[in-house]
Amino acid sequence: MPDLPLPLDFRRAVVTGGAGFLGSHLCEALLDAGVEVVCLDSFLTGTPANVAHLMEHPGFHLRRCDITEYVHVPGPVDLVLHFASPASPVDYLKLPLETLKVGATGTWHALGLAKEKQARFVLASTSETYGDPQVHPQPETYWGHVNPVGPRGVYDESKRYAEALTTAYRTTHGVDTAIVRIFNTYGPRMRAADGRAIPTFIRQALAGEPVTVAGDGEQTRSICYVSDLVAGILQLAASGHSGPMNIGNPWELSVKAIAQDVIAAAGSDSPIEFVGRPVDDPQVRRPDTTLARSVLGWEPRVSWADGLARTVQWFRDELAAAAQEEAHSSATTSGTTSRTLDLREPSEAVPPVA
Ligand code: NAD
């Protein structure tokens, strides 16, 4: 349970992308804080399994919907958390138009919902808006170094557009908006095949396969455990601050060091294999969290060793459960298991329903 600003002064929240990795943890934390939750998700990159444990909760309502289509939520809403978007490089490179559309049309709809309900609105933006940064660490005042026509441009520009739109709704319509720039986050419910470094390394280490590190592995990342991130986001929501605000762990380590730590935490003897570096892969990444510290008093609390141990244990449990299900031939008719550990590539994911 994250360290929340309790009691949260919200009664009913809408979480778009609520069946995704971060969204599902947000839904859980909101329910724990006594807030009713309407979770809207198309299951494009998320899965109902991520929120299966919340289905019995009387305050939880899951609705399959594509936020880029017309969206109506009956009843009062006083908080909209707009988290719907493919987020991992593997996902947004396979889903470039969907990524741009959810950042553009999806954000129009989510903001329209907040305006109609007079609700507080929080946009999940990203450190990717800084691109391959030339300022280090990155403060919110840095405008970024983004290649709009490179492969990552679909994600980066989708979020930059969403930030501009959010700002325009604030200035034009007076909607009470906030923008959070999320830095790399990890934890339980990441998809093993989503292409992000930590779940990929864990999957490879647990399988005894080579752990594939891009380039020479000297590029850095700053990684935040999910419960810390969720606490920061909900504190921002409760604060009334407009952002943009960086939320992430300022502790920076090389990708090679991450791989070595994962191998050790998994008790594996996997070798490290150096592979080609993706186009426009950022060389460094570290949030300047001065604003979050001064406005919210927020700081990450979970150590890398502790967060990694919890995440490795979760993947281990999921793999064991999936193997057990397989052995008992209880796979679903589509050939995938009902477990959260989702090894599907995005192209095989459940398509959105209009
Ligand atoms: P995720 O892929 O696990 O979750 C995204 C969710 O959005 C999925 O459940 C997906 O099905 C849903 N979705 C996508 N398009 C939709 C649409 N059109 N309508 C309704 N639902 C839709 O990714 P995540 O890591 O949980 O990321 C959540 C948000 O946080 C994203 O907006 C992402 O850009 C942002 N973010 C995440 C990180 C991170 O480290 N995880 C870092 C920066 C920003």
Side-chain angles (χ1 to χ4, degrees):
M1 168 76 178
D3 190 12
L4 294 180
L6 292 171
L8 276 176
D9 200 16
F10 300 108
R11 277 157 305 168
R12 194 158 181 261
V14 167
V15 183
T16 78
F21 162 50
L22 297 182
S24 62
H25 286 277
L26 279 166
C27 290
E28 203 172 278
L30 285 163
L31 290 168
D32 283 348
V35 182
E36 192 177 336
V37 174
V38 180
C39 170
L40 304 181
D41 204 297
S42 63
F43 309 135
L44 182 64
T45 57
T47 162
N50 281 337
V51 288
H53 62 297
L54 305 177
M55 294 305 288
E56 298 300 312
H57 195 296
F60 183 71
H61 316 279
L62 174 62
R63 222 177 94 189
R64 182 175 187 167
C65 92
D66 184 334
I67 191 74
T68 68
E69 307 289 333
Y70 171 76
V71 65
H72 173 66
V73 176
V77 173
D78 49 16
L79 175 65
V80 175
L81 299 174
H82 181 38
F83 276 66
S85 173
S88 85
V90 165
D91 287 343
Y92 62 71
L93 294 177
K94 286 197 173 171
L95 301 163
L97 297 179
E98 291 84 347
T99 302
L100 284 160
K101 196 171 176 188
V102 75
T105 312
T107 305
W108 275 96
H109 290 165
L111 280 161
L113 179 67
K115 177 171 175 268
E116 175 204 335
K117 305 290 185 183
Q118 298 185 309
R120 171 90 164 141
F121 176 89
V122 179
L123 170 71
S125 187
T126 168
S127 57
E128 301 289 338
T129 60
Y130 301 123
D132 190 3
Q134 294 172 315
V135 170
H136 191 65
Q138 296 80 55
E140 290 85 352
T141 47
Y142 177 50
W143 291 358
H145 181 232
V146 169
N147 176 5
V149 294
R152 303 171 77 102
V154 295
Y155 183 63
D156 304 0
E157 297 296 3
S158 142
K159 292 292 183 179
R160 286 162 71 97
Y161 177 87
E163 286 198 10
L165 189 60
T166 300
T167 306
Y169 255 74
R170 183 177 185 85
T171 53
T172 308
H173 294 307
V175 176
D176 179 15
T177 63
I179 295 168
V180 54
R181 291 195 183 136
I182 301 168
F183 281 66
N184 291 51
T185 302
Y186 72 100
R189 297 194 208 124
M190 296 188 90
R191 289 188 355 261
D194 82 356
R196 291 186 262 205
I198 293 178
T200 305
F201 292 170
I202 294 177
R203 175 175 55 78
Q204 292 168 330
L206 289 176
E209 294 168 7
V211 170
T212 50
V213 169
D216 60 7
E218 294 304 324
Q219 67 276 22
T220 66
R221 294 294 180 268
S222 304
I223 42 181
C224 187
Y225 189 68
V226 64
S227 61
D228 281 333
L229 181 91
V230 164
I233 289 167
L234 295 182
Q235 284 179 33
L236 172 62
S239 73
H241 196 280
S242 62
M245 187 181 285
N246 292 337
I247 300 282
N249 194 328
W251 190 61
E252 186 179 10
L253 68 173
S254 73
V255 172
K256 192 165 108 189
I258 294 174
Q260 288 165 336
D261 290 347
V262 165
I263 292 167
S268 168
D269 53 11
S270 288
I272 290 183
E273 185 180 306
F274 295 96
V275 297
R277 188 109 179 255
V279 179
D280 296 335
D281 189 36
Q283 183 59 27
V284 289
R285 198 44 86 58
R286 171 151 63 100
D288 179 334
T289 54
T290 309
L291 187 66
R293 266 189 283 120
S294 60
V295 173
L296 310 177
W298 178 84
E299 278 188 280
R301 286 160 184 264
V302 179
S303 70
W304 165 230
D306 186 15
L308 179 59
R310 290 191 220 176
T311 309
V312 167
Q313 189 55 49
W314 182 84
F315 272 93
R316 210 190 281 281
D317 292 346
E318 289 295 306
L319 275 169
Q324 211 173 14
E325 275 191 19
E326 198 78 13
H328 288 86
S329 310
S330 59
T332 63
T333 47
S334 65
T336 58
T337 74
S338 61
R339 303 294 308 180
T340 311
L341 186 75
D342 192 341
L343 293 162
R344 294 170 302 162
E345 293 299 321
S347 56
E348 302 168 71
V350 185
V353 169

